[in-house]
Amino acid sequence: MARRGLLIILSSPSGAGKSTHSKRMMAWDPTLRFSVSATTRQPRPGEVDGKDYHFCTESEFRQMVSDDEMLEHAHVFGNFYGSPKAPVKAAIDAGRDVLFDVDWQGAEQIKDSSLGQHVLSVFFLPPSIAELRRRLESRGQDTAETIDKRMHQSWDEISHWRSYDYVLVNDDLDATEARLRTIVEAERQRRDQQPDLADHVRALQDEFHEEG
Ligand code: ADP
Ligand code: 5GP
């Protein structure tokens, strides 16, 4: 049975585990497509251009926005971030699910877009604020100043938790991943994700009447 692609949005305050779970989901199901965002932020050590992000200048970013190439975009922690539209459309048309690591502003815009009915949104909460700081520090990729800035803004992101379909406390990594997989597998079976169901029911009906 054919299936429509889902737009799977993962959001959380910085450091709560979005990239970790995105990578785990991609390893679990290689048919998933990751939406590689464009950003004006500087690459972190180990980040690969075109894989983690499309790193670009502010003028390149503004050009993409004015050319209507972005599905959504936002200003986060002093940098611009946005999801290019074309790869998402191509993947969804091919029945593939697309994974997004975006903030609440991006999630709102994607839900309001023409693809909004195919959105599955998941928000990760940290087990505690102290653990959130520990995770940001243990990641070891941001300066103390950047970590403080992100900690200060974490409540702004957390305050949007009610807008998401599912909210997971990312305590134990494996247990949270298992819950996320269950959610994705169930959402794939949603009636409006299965475009051929009506035809199948019609065929069942014909067969039913023939038998009767
Ligand atoms: P985000 O993408 O939300 O900013 P990351 O996925 O980069 O966050 O996670 C931040 C840090 O916390 C990383 O070092 C990651 O390995 C660690 N981490 C993520 N989830 C967990 C978890 N459930 N338990 C312990 N550490 C975690
Ligand atoms: P980071 O700099 O840690 O990679 O990401 C910072 C924040 O920007 C995170 O909340 C992340 O989800 C968000 N983000 C990353 N890419 C996008 C995007 O394309 N659009 C939006 N709206 N937010 C993004």
Side-chain angles (χ1 to χ4, degrees):
M1 196 79 74
R3 188 167 82 65
R4 286 203 174 89
L6 281 170
L7 288 82
I8 305 171
I9 300 177
L10 306 183
S11 298
S12 78
S14 186
K18 295 172 303 283
S19 352
T20 304
H21 282 294
S22 297
K23 291 197 177 94
R24 284 181 166 228
M25 292 300 281
M26 300 298 297
W28 166 60
D29 182 352
T31 69
L32 280 172
R33 293 282 173 267
F34 182 67
S35 170
V36 180
S37 300
T39 183
T40 59
R41 135 159 115 56
Q42 289 301 305
R44 294 192 184 116
E47 280 185 333
V48 179
D49 188 30
K51 184 166 174 273
D52 298 292
Y53 279 107
H54 297 293
F55 295 101
C56 62
T57 64
E58 197 167 317
S59 73
E60 286 168 337
F61 191 94
R62 287 186 191 282
Q63 191 63 50
M64 285 187 272
V65 173
S66 67
D67 289 346
D68 196 26
E69 288 175 13
M70 294 299 198
L71 178 59
E72 61 75 34
H73 62 93
H75 195 241
V76 192
F77 307 132
N79 291 295
F80 291 99
Y81 294 83
S83 310
K85 203 184 279 182
V88 177
K89 288 207 152 200
I92 296 298
D93 288 346
R96 304 259 190 213
D97 302 324
V98 183
L99 200 57
F100 294 83
D101 172 339
V102 297
D103 82 329
W104 70 270
Q105 304 173 83
E108 290 295 306
Q109 292 172 49
I110 297 171
K111 279 187 254 179
D112 288 344
S113 76
S114 60
L115 297 170
Q117 79 209 83
H118 305 298
V119 164
L120 156 61
S121 63
V122 181
F123 194 87
F124 295 114
L125 286 171
S128 67
I129 297 298
E131 173 64 12
L132 183 64
R133 178 175 281 281
R134 260 195 299 278
R135 287 185 190 173
L136 275 174
E137 287 170 353
S138 75
R139 186 161 69 187
Q141 290 180 323
D142 295 306
T143 62
E145 190 195 344
T146 300
I147 290 175
D148 279 344
K149 195 164 156 190
R150 288 177 175 231
M151 283 302 296
H152 275 117
Q153 293 187 24
S154 62
W155 196 255
D156 186 34
E157 187 72 24
I158 291 175
S159 70
H160 295 277
W161 67 280
R162 286 181 200 276
S163 310
Y164 288 76
D165 298 321
Y166 296 86
V167 179
L168 300 175
V169 177
N170 182 27
D171 36 24
D172 179 80
L173 201 46
D174 291 338
T176 308
E177 184 188 351
R179 285 183 285 155
L180 185 57
R181 288 185 190 182
T182 303
I183 291 166
V184 169
E185 281 176 338
E187 289 282 319
R188 284 175 170 168
Q189 308 307 316
R190 249 162 43 182
R191 177 164 40 83
D192 54 6
Q193 290 305 117
Q194 301 186 68
D196 294 345
L197 272 186
D199 285 344
H200 183 65
V201 173
R202 259 191 297 276
L204 289 177
Q205 190 179 29
D206 291 345
E207 197 186 338
F208 181 79
H209 288 311
E210 275 164 25
E211 201 191 28

